Amino acid sequence: MIEQVAEPLPTGGFEKVVLELEVNNHPGVMSHVCGLFARRAFNVEGILCMPLPDGRRSRIWLTVFADQRLEQLVRQLERLVDVLEVRRHGADHEVFVQLERFFQ
């Protein structure tokens, strides 16, 4: 069980963003990434993870609200050994737009 150490902040007034992470494809990487969000009571609106063709790396996309804690969280993600790169996109990033069309 992951312990929540902070109260969730209201999401009103904050823009949604998509974080795209390239990570090593090892057991436990997704757990470490999600644990950072959970311990800080950071709400994840959507998450998608897919292995890359080489099988050694994966890509994780997360839709989150860009509140005042986001930049600190991104810095903490970048310090994780298995996180190779973190990119930030607008909420209209094509990966979730295409996924929404699939479920309509």
Side-chain angles (χ1 to χ4, degrees):
M1 176 185 259
I2 297 174
E3 179 184 349
Q4 180 177 318
V5 294
E7 289 298 315
L9 291 177
T11 56
F14 296 112
E15 68 173 322
K16 281 187 185 178
V17 297
V18 174
L19 296 179
E20 179 181 351
L21 287 64
E22 188 171 320
V23 299
N24 288 319
N25 193 7
H26 294 165
V29 173
M30 180 67 88
S31 176
H32 288 133
V33 169
C34 290
L36 277 177
F37 286 88
R39 283 190 302 277
R40 285 151 189 82
F42 210 103
N43 192 38
V44 175
E45 292 285 308
I47 187 167
L48 175 64
C49 181
M50 297 291 295
L52 295 175
D54 67 10
R56 296 175 302 152
R57 298 169 295 140
S58 291
R59 190 151 289 145
I60 301 171
W61 295 271
L62 303 125
T63 301
V64 298
F65 285 98
D67 71 23
Q68 63 266 26
R69 304 171 295 164
L70 183 61
E71 294 309 315
Q72 179 184 8
L73 187 62
V74 167
R75 287 191 299 274
Q76 291 171 332
L77 285 168
E78 292 171 334
R79 287 197 302 248
L80 291 177
V81 172
D82 285 316
V83 175
L84 306 172
E85 184 177 6
V86 179
R87 291 190 280 287
R88 184 177 172 159
H89 305 282
D92 58 348
H93 186 58
E94 66 180 321
V95 70
F96 284 106
V97 171
Q98 290 179 14
L99 193 60
E100 282 180 22
R101 277 191 234 136
F102 177 78
F103 289 106
Q104 291 180 349

